[in-house]
Amino acid sequence: MTANLATAGVDSRVGGAAAGAEIRWLGGRLLGTTGGFHISPRMTGEQDFAPVSHRSTSDISTSLETEIDYEGLPQGMATSTHMLAGAVAGIMEHCLMYPIDCVKTRMQSLHPEPGARYRNVMDALRQIVQTEGVWRPIRGVNVLAVGAGPAHALYFACYEKIKFSLSDAIHPGTNSHFANGVAGCVATLLHDAIMNPAEVVKQRMQMFNSPYRGVLDCVGSLLRHEGPAAFYRSYTTQLTMNVPFQALHFMTYEYLQELLNPHRQYNPSSHVVSGALAGALAAAATSPLDVCKTLLNTQEAQAVRHISGLGEAFRMVYRMGGIPAFFKGVQARVIYQMPSTAISWSVYEFFKYIITKRQHERRLHGDRDGDK
């Protein structure tokens, strides 16, 4: 990640009058430097750092308050901050975009019933509301919200930790696209382990004429008739889809951040644009795998009931619709992922920034009380 030594990353050990004070950039990206560079308050037209010989404690406090580096988190707080921000982002992302997700599942059906054949996303939403009720597009959202919180908490915490550690090992102080991709892949393993059962239940309830009365009824029916393995039947397919999806997603997001937000400050518009474009590209590229995952999760009665693996799912999709079948619902998937990833990144970056800012304010307040 492009090095941007912002003032909030300065360790509390920086002395006010020490000309050669050690500067530690938290987050593991800059371990330490020595010399005559100290942090000065940023003025219009000035660079971030200027060589000075002495600084007072009050000046350092002022500069710390002026610039909060939410990328460089306080030691001992980073993991909890990433987990809390990630959990909120995941819940909001999935809940706000759930109606479009419902449409995507319906449009990926290989043999839709006459009442579930839609021309496009808006036509699908209109028909679902008119024929099945206004609440039908959000049926099953509760199970997804329950799974999204812990799944995204682990997802973002794991991603940030591996990204910074691996980037430092490869190119200290710089952004590594390879590290971003690896971090996204590893984070996906934890995320999907939690989310896969929720995805199965959610998609069973999203299907046209779903026979389940509610989430508990769906879970009980799956356990009785298909066993616990039903909740992880699509896990390998989910990973096969999400590993390249997340690698492409994170690499694209970080690359766009380098272009749109090179100083890596909190910039909502850059997070929204980068997230939306990254999500759209990754969604389109992995759409065939998503169709196979939906078939494994729903086990459509019109197809074959016990499709048990990715290879069999691929063959079944091709047999029932040829190459075009692999791109069923791609429009809905891209429309879902663009705002979904935009919401996820903007909410995540916002909460990370707010939480980190408050942590720094508390630290500054404690340091001032100690000086008194």
Side-chain angles (χ1 to χ4, degrees):
M1 183 173 292
T2 304
N4 62 326
L5 284 171
T7 57
V10 181
D11 190 82
S12 59
R13 291 179 296 156
V14 175
E22 178 188 20
I23 298 176
R24 174 176 294 180
W25 188 18
L26 299 180
R29 284 165 288 178
L30 185 63
L31 299 179
T33 61
T34 58
F37 279 86
H38 293 268
I39 295 180
S40 59
R42 180 180 296 175
M43 304 297 290
T44 304
E46 282 190 332
Q47 295 181 351
D48 290 346
F49 295 88
V52 296
S53 58
H54 297 284
R55 290 296 307 277
S56 66
T57 303
S58 61
D59 289 340
I60 291 176
S61 298
T62 302
S63 67
L64 284 169
E65 290 178 327
T66 304
E67 294 290 337
I68 298 295
D69 176 19
Y70 77 109
E71 289 282 339
L73 296 168
Q75 283 181 324
M77 292 292 195
T79 301
S80 61
T81 298
H82 290 310
M83 292 185 75
L84 180 57
V88 175
I91 292 172
M92 290 189 66
E93 167 197 351
H94 286 289
C95 291
L96 290 176
M97 296 306 301
Y98 192 83
I100 306 299
D101 186 43
C102 175
V103 170
K104 177 187 72 72
T105 299
R106 296 279 187 99
M107 295 183 74
Q108 286 178 336
S109 175
L110 297 176
H111 277 300
E113 296 184 25
R117 294 177 181 172
Y118 315 112
R119 294 190 301 272
N120 51 50
V121 175
M122 293 309 298
D123 177 59
L125 281 174
R126 180 182 58 81
Q127 287 195 47
I128 292 172
V129 170
Q130 287 181 350
T131 61
E132 302 175 54
V134 69
W135 299 112
R136 187 69 179 193
I138 61 172
R139 190 168 185 256
V141 68
N142 50 344
V143 69
L144 201 64
V146 170
H152 279 73
L154 289 175
Y155 177 70
F156 278 107
C158 179
Y159 170 72
E160 297 279 3
K161 180 68 175 178
I162 295 175
K163 177 181 73 172
F164 287 132
S165 299
L166 196 55
S167 290
D168 282 342
I170 298 172
H171 296 295
T174 62
N175 180 40
S176 168
H177 294 301
F178 174 75
N180 298 334
V182 171
C185 292
V186 176
T188 300
L189 296 176
L190 295 175
H191 173 272
D192 287 0
I194 297 175
M195 282 295 289
N196 206 84
E199 283 281 337
V200 173
V201 175
K202 174 206 74 172
Q203 291 198 305
R204 291 290 181 104
M205 298 189 68
Q206 286 175 335
M207 293 299 290
F208 183 74
N209 283 338
S210 174
Y212 309 106
R213 296 188 301 273
V215 170
L216 294 179
D217 179 50
C218 181
V219 172
S221 178
L222 282 169
L223 286 173
R224 287 191 303 271
H225 297 104
E226 300 179 48
F231 294 102
Y232 283 94
R233 185 182 287 122
S234 64
Y235 182 58
T236 54
T237 302
Q238 182 97 336
L239 288 178
T240 305
M241 175 185 70
N242 279 345
V243 165
F245 175 93
Q246 298 300 353
L248 185 58
H249 168 210
F250 280 115
M251 291 170 69
T252 305
Y253 178 82
E254 297 288 356
Y255 174 74
L256 291 173
Q257 281 292 285
E258 288 182 351
L259 297 179
L260 303 176
N261 187 18
H263 298 297
R264 291 307 179 99
Q265 298 171 341
Y266 174 63
N267 186 332
S269 60
S270 76
H271 301 317
V272 170
V273 172
S274 299
L277 293 177
L281 177 63
T286 57
S287 186
L289 290 165
D290 193 47
V291 173
C292 294
K293 183 206 76 172
T294 297
L295 178 61
L296 286 168
N297 280 344
T298 59
Q299 298 286 306
E300 291 181 78
Q302 297 88 343
V304 177
R305 280 200 169 274
H306 299 292
I307 303 171
S308 57
L310 178 58
E312 190 177 350
F314 257 100
R315 289 191 295 271
M316 183 58 59
V317 172
Y318 182 77
R319 189 181 306 150
M320 299 179 74
I323 296 297
F326 288 102
F327 293 92
K328 289 177 71 69
V330 65
Q331 178 195 37
R333 178 166 164 77
V334 171
I335 291 175
Y336 167 78
Q337 285 294 347
M338 283 190 71
S340 178
T341 48
I343 291 169
S344 179
W345 277 112
S346 58
V347 171
Y348 172 67
E349 301 283 7
F350 171 76
F351 276 91
K352 187 170 71 170
Y353 173 74
I354 292 299
I355 294 169
T356 305
K357 183 177 178 181
R358 289 180 178 177
Q359 289 171 353
H360 277 290
E361 289 173 350
R362 286 197 294 268
R363 286 183 65 191
L364 287 172
H365 185 70
D367 290 343
R368 287 171 182 162
D369 290 344
D371 292 338
K372 293 178 182 179

